[in-house]
């Protein structure tokens, strides 16, 4: 997969290949994370648009059900005709539709056939048609993409300027363009999903602190969760979180429940054993406590709050692997994973990443750590994965030429040049 971007946030232009291990290095505010979040949003929305199709249809059905009820109430005295209220009340009618589909509509059409309520027959027929019609897939794909943009970027991804420049997002698979989107000032002008993406799912790991926020994330919502009017009313007081946070939380909580159902391959088992060795134990989710716990090798249990964040970084990968979430059709996106890791553990984490790539798992890493980047390079060379490893430098609004390792090292080693200058100033009495 190749993603081509123009005029997105800090990015003027980017051309990045996602195949095996992709590393985007650079300083803060150079657009590294934007690439990862955008890929996550595209992959998730392309796999979730079916849910959005049903949401739009359900909204219209609920609206018609309510209209019918109020029309019946205008004409019928419920104290004398209780059956009308039972059949047409919004709650019972909606429930019957969910259970019995168009049969529920036919029963009500037959019931009103000889009554004075024939004027609502049109609404009933429209509900039936909605249940039977083929949905507009392209519109649903575009709506799902817009939702993902709101969830991940608050809807703001276009470069802020007064030149009226179009924002462009393209994805190329082999020799074919599969996605072509244009936006102007964050408004979608053209949306064309021409074919299915090669990735069926993605996970974006921004911080391992999600492990200790299990209860708080349970109480939050994303823009994708409000499936009908009643749900929206109930969720108004719930805090919003980006989709990638909720997505990761759901996956690592599931892992403990069904880990025993999966027989990991020998190679994946070796990766897990490596993680157990590094953190001297493993993480598990305690559903009763609604919290993750760290279980040491000697069987002692500790709440997630009392474990180091660096250990949680390895724990997130461990939990995903145990659930067989990570596979060859999956894109793992790691946003500056070095942040909570000592340099020694950065090297160990890099080794884990390369082992995943060796097992045909695609990984995108953004980083500003020379330790992490050099470790990824060395482990990749050691495993003879140079053909599946690409390094990019995000700088001055561009992310284009791959394998710019020398420039990456020079850029990220600039603080050491400052130290040398300080030492020189001290020696010269400045």
């Amino acid at each position: 997969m190749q993603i081509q971007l123009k005029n997105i946030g800090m990015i003027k232009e980017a051309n990045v290949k996602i195949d095996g291990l992709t590393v985007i290095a650079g300083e803060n505010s150079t657009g590294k994370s934007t690439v990862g979040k955008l890929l996550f949003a595209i992959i998730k929305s392309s796999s979730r648009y079916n849910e959005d199709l049903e949401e739009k249809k359900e909204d219209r059905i609920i609206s018609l059900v309510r209209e019918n009820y109020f029309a019946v109430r205008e004409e019928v005295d419920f104290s004398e005709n209780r059956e009308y209220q039972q059949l047409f009340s919004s709650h019972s009618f909606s429930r019957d539709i969910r259970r019995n589909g168009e049969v529920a509509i036919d029963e009500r059409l037959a019931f009103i056939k000889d009554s004075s309520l024939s004027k609502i027959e049109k609404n009933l027929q429209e509900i039936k048609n909605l249940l039977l019609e083929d949905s507009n897939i392209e519109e649903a794909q575009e709506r799902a993409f817009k939702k993902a943009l709101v969830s991940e970027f608050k809807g703001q991804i276009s470069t802020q300027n007064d030149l009226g420049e179009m924002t462009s997002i393209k994805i190329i698979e082999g020799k074919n363009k599969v996605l072509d989107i244009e936006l102007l000032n964050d408004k979608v002008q053209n949306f064309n999903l021409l074919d299915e993406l090669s990735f069926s799912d993605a996970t974006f790991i921004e911080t391992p602190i999600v492990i200790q926020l299990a209860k708080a994330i349970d109480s939050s919502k994303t823009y994708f969760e409000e499936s009908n009017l009643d749900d929206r009313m109930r969720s108004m007081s719930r805090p919003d979180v980006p989709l990638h946070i909720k997505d990761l939380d759901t996956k690592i909580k599931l892992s403990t429940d069904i880990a025993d159902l999966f027989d990991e391959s020998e190679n994946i088992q070796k990766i897990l054993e490596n993680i157990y060795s590094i953190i001297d134990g493993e993480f598990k989710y305690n559903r009763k406590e609604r919290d993750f716990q760290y279980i040491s090798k000697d069987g002692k249990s500790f709440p997630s709050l009392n474990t180091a964040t660096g250990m949680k970084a390895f724990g997130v990968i461990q939990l995903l692997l145990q659930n067989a979430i990570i596979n060859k059709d999956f894109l793992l996106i790691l946003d500056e994973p070095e942040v909570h890791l000592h340099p020694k553990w950065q090297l160990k984490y890099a080794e884990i990443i390369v082992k995943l790539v060796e097992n045909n798992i695609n990984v995108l890493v953004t980083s500003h750590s020379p330790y992490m980047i050099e470790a990824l390079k060395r482990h990749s060379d050691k495993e003879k994965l140079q053909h599946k490893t690409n390094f990019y430098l995000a700088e001055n609004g561009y992310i284009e030429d791959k394998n710019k390792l020398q420039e990456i090292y020079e850029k990220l080693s600039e603080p050491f040049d400052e130290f040398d200058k300080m030492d020189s100033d001290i020696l010269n009495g400045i």
Side-chain angles (χ1 to χ4, degrees):
M1 171 190 282
Q2 189 171 31
I3 183 167
Q4 300 174 356
L5 308 174
K6 287 186 178 180
N7 302 320
I8 293 182
M10 302 296 296
I11 300 172
K12 296 176 183 176
E13 188 170 339
N15 194 334
V16 178
K17 183 179 181 181
I18 308 297
D19 178 27
L21 173 61
T22 303
V23 182
I24 303 177
E27 298 178 349
N28 291 328
S29 298
T30 54
K32 304 187 307 296
S33 298
T34 298
V35 176
K37 288 174 71 176
L38 187 57
L39 273 168
F40 171 80
I42 290 170
I43 294 169
K44 293 302 290 188
S45 62
S46 69
S47 65
R48 294 187 64 150
Y49 74 86
N50 277 321
E51 298 172 32
D52 198 61
L53 278 174
E54 294 306 312
E55 175 186 324
K56 184 181 181 184
K57 183 183 290 187
E58 186 172 351
D59 278 351
R60 180 57 183 152
I61 289 172
I62 288 172
S63 176
L64 290 168
V65 165
R66 287 170 57 83
E67 286 180 26
N68 276 339
Y69 177 65
F70 296 139
V72 171
R73 195 170 66 180
E74 286 288 328
E75 302 291 337
V76 177
D77 183 347
F78 289 155
S79 63
E80 297 179 0
N81 299 277
R82 183 62 63 185
E83 189 175 3
Y84 282 92
Q85 186 177 25
Q86 292 173 345
L87 276 173
F88 291 98
S89 72
S90 299
H91 177 71
S92 62
F93 194 2
S94 298
R95 182 180 59 192
D96 199 11
I97 290 172
R98 283 192 290 270
R99 289 178 176 175
N100 302 311
E102 59 267 24
V103 172
I105 312 300
D106 289 337
E107 288 178 352
R108 285 158 179 81
L109 283 168
F111 185 80
I112 66 168
K113 188 173 182 180
D114 299 319
S115 72
S116 61
L117 298 175
S118 56
K119 65 181 181 180
I120 69 167
E121 183 177 349
K122 182 180 177 182
N123 276 5
L124 290 173
Q125 193 61 53
E126 184 175 349
I127 295 173
K128 185 175 181 179
N129 292 339
L130 281 169
L131 292 172
L132 296 172
E133 76 175 6
D134 291 329
S135 301
N136 189 321
I137 293 176
E138 188 172 340
E139 286 185 7
Q141 290 170 336
E142 182 175 341
R143 284 197 303 274
F145 174 71
K146 289 177 180 177
K147 282 188 173 185
L149 289 189
V150 171
S151 177
E152 294 301 306
F153 299 94
K154 294 298 182 184
Q156 298 179 349
I157 64 168
S158 297
T159 300
Q160 301 301 308
N161 59 62
D162 299 322
L163 302 178
E165 295 177 316
M166 195 77 75
T167 292
S168 172
I169 303 167
K170 291 181 172 63
I171 289 182
I172 312 296
E173 301 265 12
K175 296 182 178 181
N176 297 286
K177 184 190 297 182
V178 298
L179 179 70
D180 190 355
I181 303 173
E182 291 182 321
L183 304 94
L184 184 61
N185 298 325
D186 298 316
K187 304 294 184 183
V188 175
Q189 305 298 306
N190 296 293
F191 182 92
N192 294 296
L193 183 57
L194 306 170
D195 203 349
E196 61 182 303
L197 302 178
S198 57
F199 294 117
S200 60
D201 194 11
T203 290
F204 184 100
I205 303 178
E206 180 178 20
T207 172
I209 294 177
V210 291
I211 282 184
Q212 73 187 55
L213 298 177
K215 291 181 181 178
I217 297 172
D218 273 344
S219 303
S220 66
K221 71 180 191 306
T222 73
Y223 199 60
F224 276 92
E225 291 180 75
E226 302 165 356
S227 60
N228 58 50
L229 184 61
D230 292 337
D231 286 343
R232 276 172 243 171
M233 294 300 292
R234 284 193 295 270
S235 67
M236 284 180 66
S237 61
R238 295 169 59 200
D240 290 303
V241 295
L243 178 60
H244 71 263
I245 295 289
K246 194 79 167 181
D247 176 73
L248 177 59
D249 175 74
T250 300
K251 288 172 177 173
I252 60 178
K253 284 175 179 173
L254 284 174
S255 60
T256 304
D257 289 341
I258 59 176
D260 293 339
L261 299 178
F262 295 99
D263 183 19
E264 294 98 356
S265 70
E266 183 178 348
N267 290 338
I268 296 299
Q269 187 57 43
K270 285 181 179 178
I271 296 174
L272 282 168
E273 289 172 359
N274 192 2
I275 293 174
Y276 301 148
S277 176
I278 293 169
I279 63 176
D280 289 321
E282 64 178 316
F283 283 87
K284 291 186 176 181
Y285 182 61
N286 186 316
R287 190 157 300 283
K288 183 178 179 181
E289 298 292 331
R290 294 173 60 207
D291 190 15
F292 287 93
Q293 294 179 327
Y294 167 72
I295 313 297
S296 65
K297 285 185 176 179
D298 59 7
K300 294 180 181 178
S301 177
F302 302 89
S304 61
L305 189 63
N306 294 342
T307 58
T309 307
M311 293 173 67
K312 296 185 186 82
F314 286 95
V316 170
I317 302 296
Q318 167 229 312
L319 291 163
L320 289 172
L321 285 172
Q322 282 181 340
N323 191 29
I325 290 290
I326 301 176
N327 57 60
K328 64 182 179 61
D329 297 322
F330 172 97
L331 179 61
L332 178 62
I333 305 166
L334 304 170
D335 189 44
E336 299 179 352
E338 69 271 7
V339 171
H340 299 286
L341 298 173
H342 183 278
K344 286 185 178 180
W345 271 19
Q346 289 186 35
L347 272 58
K348 292 182 181 295
Y349 198 94
E351 182 181 4
I352 298 294
I353 292 172
V354 172
K355 286 295 182 183
L356 292 174
V357 175
E358 190 179 13
N359 283 276
N360 298 314
I361 294 163
N362 294 278
V363 184
L364 169 63
V365 180
T366 67
S367 176
H368 45 42
S369 166
Y371 302 110
M372 175 64 73
I373 292 165
E374 184 160 357
L376 288 169
K377 170 61 176 171
R378 289 178 180 269
H379 283 296
S380 176
D381 289 348
K382 180 182 176 182
E383 303 300 334
K384 296 180 172 55
L385 293 174
Q386 297 94 328
H387 64 292
K388 296 183 68 175
T389 304
N390 295 301
F391 291 85
Y392 296 82
L393 177 63
E395 186 178 30
N396 300 324
Y398 292 90
I399 310 174
E400 288 187 306
D401 297 332
K402 64 180 181 179
N403 298 327
K404 301 178 71 171
L405 272 172
Q406 188 57 42
E407 291 181 45
I408 290 171
Y409 291 145
E410 289 175 2
K411 173 60 64 175
L412 298 184
S413 66
E414 287 179 356
F416 295 101
D417 296 336
E418 287 295 317
F419 292 151
D420 290 341
K421 182 178 183 302
M422 292 169 68
D423 288 340
S424 177
D425 289 345
I426 291 172
L427 289 173
N428 293 315
I430 298 177

